[in-house]
Amino acid sequence: MKITGLNLDIIWKDKTENFQLIEKELQNQDADLFLLPEMFSTGFCMDASEVSDRKQESLEFLKKMAKEKNTAFCGSAPVEDGGNFYNRMYFVHSDSEFNFYDKRHLFSFSGEDKVYTPGKERVVVNYQGFRVLLQICYDLRFPVFARNNDDYDMILYVANWPEKRVEAWEQLLKARAIENLSFVFGLNRTGTDGNNLFYRESSHCFFADGKEISEKNGNLVTAELSLEELKVFRNHFQFLNDRDSFSIEF
């Protein structure tokens, strides 16, 4: 599977401009899956009542892109649903069918937990033979929630993780890959947001042994993932068989 992530310098609170920018950046690209950052249409914004989708704008954009390119698209957006606001990660298939995951761990340091509602479900998507766990930014700091119970092969993290804490982002991505014997693709935004936070290029894809397998080309980061290679590695190093048993309460 070929995954291409876009290191997007998100334009603050401007969905139309961001949609146009994404189309331009990806117009000559092909992949089995395109990955966009957390809140790709607005930036990581706490003005939920102002920026949140009420007519599924970001979802409809992803459906349009997935249909045009005949492939899958994934990214998160602020959404209003049932009177609540969610940081919602969509995984949209080429036929417009989609799965979604609402961010479980809300970033209290920025007040996200005061504005958005936490998700209550752990979501794994089946795509091209891969079982894919969907995760958003701050979720990365909570390994129990992401623990592999032999139910996924890859984790996708989308983020707005600023430079001042980027060392944690990069180290934890690698740790999640190693401890869960899985591929981990972490896509971060770039540029400076409306809160004057700077985000340096720091997107990566790691194999189950912690080795970087992604390549960078301009604003694009691409990785080729082999499920067969992962199966061979897991069969040789059967560390998951020795994992602790526990349950998660929501």
Side-chain angles (χ1 to χ4, degrees):
M1 180 193 297
K2 178 183 177 181
I3 301 179
T4 295
L6 176 59
N7 291 316
L8 183 64
D9 184 355
I10 303 170
I11 300 168
W12 192 246
K13 296 184 180 181
D14 196 327
K15 295 176 188 178
T16 300
E17 288 293 323
N18 284 312
F19 294 163
Q20 292 175 352
L21 180 58
I22 292 166
E23 285 189 276
K24 180 180 178 182
E25 291 279 359
L26 300 181
Q27 62 182 345
N28 297 318
Q29 303 300 320
D30 64 83
D32 297 300
L33 170 63
F34 285 102
L35 193 60
L36 302 174
E38 178 185 23
M39 292 197 182
F40 68 87
S41 55
T42 63
F44 187 63
C45 180
M46 297 303 101
D47 299 324
S49 61
E50 177 186 351
V51 302
S52 292
D53 290 351
R54 291 179 168 84
K55 297 181 180 179
Q56 300 187 327
E57 300 97 308
S58 300
L59 175 59
E60 290 305 315
F61 171 73
L62 294 177
K63 286 183 177 181
K64 170 179 173 289
M65 293 294 290
K67 182 178 180 180
E68 288 179 357
K69 289 189 168 291
N70 192 32
T71 191
F73 271 76
C74 183
S76 97
V79 174
E80 183 179 7
D81 188 355
N84 294 319
F85 300 111
Y86 298 92
N87 185 345
R88 179 164 291 175
M89 186 175 182
Y90 291 111
F91 191 107
V92 180
H93 304 259
S94 60
D95 60 1
S96 293
E97 292 295 316
F98 68 94
N99 308 86
F100 71 86
Y101 159 69
D102 292 328
K103 187 177 183 181
R104 170 64 181 167
H105 299 95
L106 301 176
F107 192 44
S108 56
F109 188 73
S110 71
E112 186 183 17
D113 61 321
K114 301 295 192 298
V115 180
Y116 294 91
T117 299
K120 296 182 178 180
E121 295 184 9
R122 189 172 182 266
V123 177
V124 176
V125 177
N126 290 300
Y127 182 65
Q128 292 192 357
F130 284 80
R131 299 166 300 168
V132 184
L133 179 67
L134 304 183
Q135 299 275 272
I136 303 174
C137 202
Y138 193 43
D139 287 329
L140 180 61
R141 288 188 179 269
F142 302 93
V144 171
F145 186 61
R147 188 61 172 135
N148 192 350
N149 296 311
D150 198 22
D151 60 346
Y152 67 80
D153 309 299
M154 169 173 47
I155 314 177
L156 296 180
Y157 285 99
V158 296
N160 278 215
W161 199 294
E163 182 186 42
K164 62 179 66 178
R165 295 185 294 276
V166 76
E167 185 70 17
W169 159 258
E170 294 181 319
Q171 296 300 322
L172 291 174
L173 285 175
K174 184 180 290 190
R176 295 296 89 80
I178 294 169
E179 70 194 10
N180 292 301
L181 293 185
S182 299
F183 292 104
V184 169
F185 199 125
L187 183 75
N188 200 10
R189 67 156 292 169
T190 57
T192 302
D193 70 12
N195 294 316
N196 206 35
L197 291 173
F198 177 69
Y199 304 81
R200 72 166 170 84
E201 195 288 312
S202 56
S203 299
H204 303 277
C205 187
F206 294 106
F207 184 61
D209 60 0
K211 180 175 65 178
E212 173 102 37
I213 60 171
S214 53
E215 297 181 354
K216 314 282 176 74
N217 181 17
N219 294 327
L220 303 177
V221 53
T222 298
E224 294 277 357
L225 283 60
S226 167
L227 187 57
E228 186 58 36
E229 183 181 1
L230 179 64
K231 289 178 178 179
V232 170
F233 186 83
R234 285 177 168 178
N235 285 335
H236 186 67
F237 298 107
Q238 299 183 21
F239 303 139
L240 287 178
N241 293 343
D242 302 322
R243 65 188 181 275
D244 297 313
S245 297
F246 53 82
S247 60
I248 299 176
E249 294 184 1
F250 291 95

